[in-house]
Amino acid sequence: MNRNNKLLIVLLTFSIVLNACEKERWDSHDKITDPQLQQNLWQTIQKNPDLSLFSQYLQQTGYDTILASAKTFTVWAPTNEALKSIDPSWIQDTSKLRQLIANHIALTRFTTDIIQDSIRVKTLDGKNIIFKKQQVENANLIEKDLYSKNGILHIIDQPLIPRMNIWEYLNTAFAGSLQQQYLQSLMYSYQDPDSAVQIGVNPLTGQPIYQPGTGIVTRNRYLQKVNISNEDSSLTYIILTDQAYQNEKNKLQVYFQDTTSSQTDSVTQWNIVKDLAIQGIYDPDHLPNILYSANDSVIYHLDKSAIISTYRASNGVVYVMNNINYDLSTKIKPIIIQGENFYDRMDPTKSYSIISRRNPITDSIFREFYMANYGLASYWIRYPRVLNSIKYKVYWVSMNDVQTGNFAMKLAFRAHLDTIPQPPSSVTFDFQFPYTTVTPNNYSEVYLGEYNQNLYGLIDIFLVGNNTTTNGNNTILLDYIKLVPELN
């Protein structure tokens, strides 16, 4: 072995020894020296004499085993003194005790150093709690950010009583109220094929046959539209006193007249409740001048003096109110029907176009339904819409920059037809405006007249071409139709 190779071996050996020493030094540095970090959360809580009552409840509910597992948790543990103030009903009922204890535990680590102002934390009972640097909900942090082997412990001076969500509060505190009774009437059940037990197949249809009584699922039509039971929501919700609720029914029912009083009542109530949820949580002392309903953008002007009580729910805040103020025009809205959004037409074999144009006055781009040179008289396009029982002022915009000559069209109305009679040209109308001449290059709304709708419901609105087969005189061209309700 030559001298150079010997030198290389010496250097390599020295490097290995040096690296081994360095690794041993850092391994020693990284070793857990805090005994607290060698204990899991259950052990940490169990050894704290001021948490003995909480420790006892953990054992009673089985959460001691959970907090001893390999998963990571955050626990807000009330002191013995804090737990003495709890209503005995939370302790005596096993299911309620489990819910209570679960409301003090969350998955993963939550330390105060990650908080700017506050954060929402989902606990093991599915509720969200508000965690701040010095508080969780209304409880103060006595000790905070105590690390253990599998999570973080905070010690607090009040128990975290689970809050009801808005739906639970409505059905508990206001059971039997007009608002609650109507919302409960929207419950329905159906058989869910995914959870039902299949016992055969119909030999005629090939459809599965399910065992009666299996897979029955209960739903609520209101919650499907406005889910005030969702724990992850952040809502401001209005519960009306019975008198306020009745006042709203009296005010709105004129716009929802139906063939029977019971149907009028049901539709009116739906149009009250559908807009009582507002996105976001608002302090009653700092209510904005304008608030928008979560469902249909109704504009509210809530008066603090009309709030008779407040409840902080797990998914928002509830105001119990004896009066509500809103812009009626945002509940009973104008109806705008775009020309291209038609349902059907008299003869689908005839070609049509959706053309894009620029309005030279506003410089905006718009789209129009356009038919020309199709050779039929009184050709119609149908637009079904739900109308309120009210008088409407009716307008259209037909921007004729496609031909130099005039043409005429009209609007007609009738009760909705599921099936058009044959031939389609034989459709009769309940009401129709006279033909209106469309002149070239008029980009303004044209007032057609008033239409009085007696009953709330689905109505067919027809755009009808001129009663002539002469091409150029029977052109159909529509940007939009607008119906503006005349509100009381």
Side-chain angles (χ1 to χ4, degrees), residues 2 47 141 144 201 205 210-211 229 237 380 418 446 472 481:
N2 61 38
K47 290 183 178 180
L141 304 183
K144 57 186 179 181
V201 176
T205 64
Y210 297 105
Q211 181 178 324
S229 69
Y237 187 72
W380 52 257
D418 290 325
V446 174
I481 301 164

Side-chain angles (χ1 to χ4, degrees), residues 8 58 60 91 95 128 130 154 157 159 175 206 220 255 263 299 323 365 380 389 394 413 434 443 472 474 476:
L8 182 62
L58 286 172
Q60 284 181 230
I91 309 302
S95 62
N128 285 293
I130 305 300
H154 307 283
D157 67 352
N220 185 285
Y255 305 113
Q263 187 65 16
I299 294 177
N323 180 53
I365 302 298
W380 52 257
S389 49
V394 183
F413 300 76
Y443 293 86
N474 63 356
I476 297 176

Side-chain angles (χ1 to χ4, degrees), residues 350 372-377 468-471 474:
K350 300 299 181 180
N373 305 322
Y374 55 88
L376 293 177
T468 177
T469 60
T470 302
N471 292 333
N474 63 356

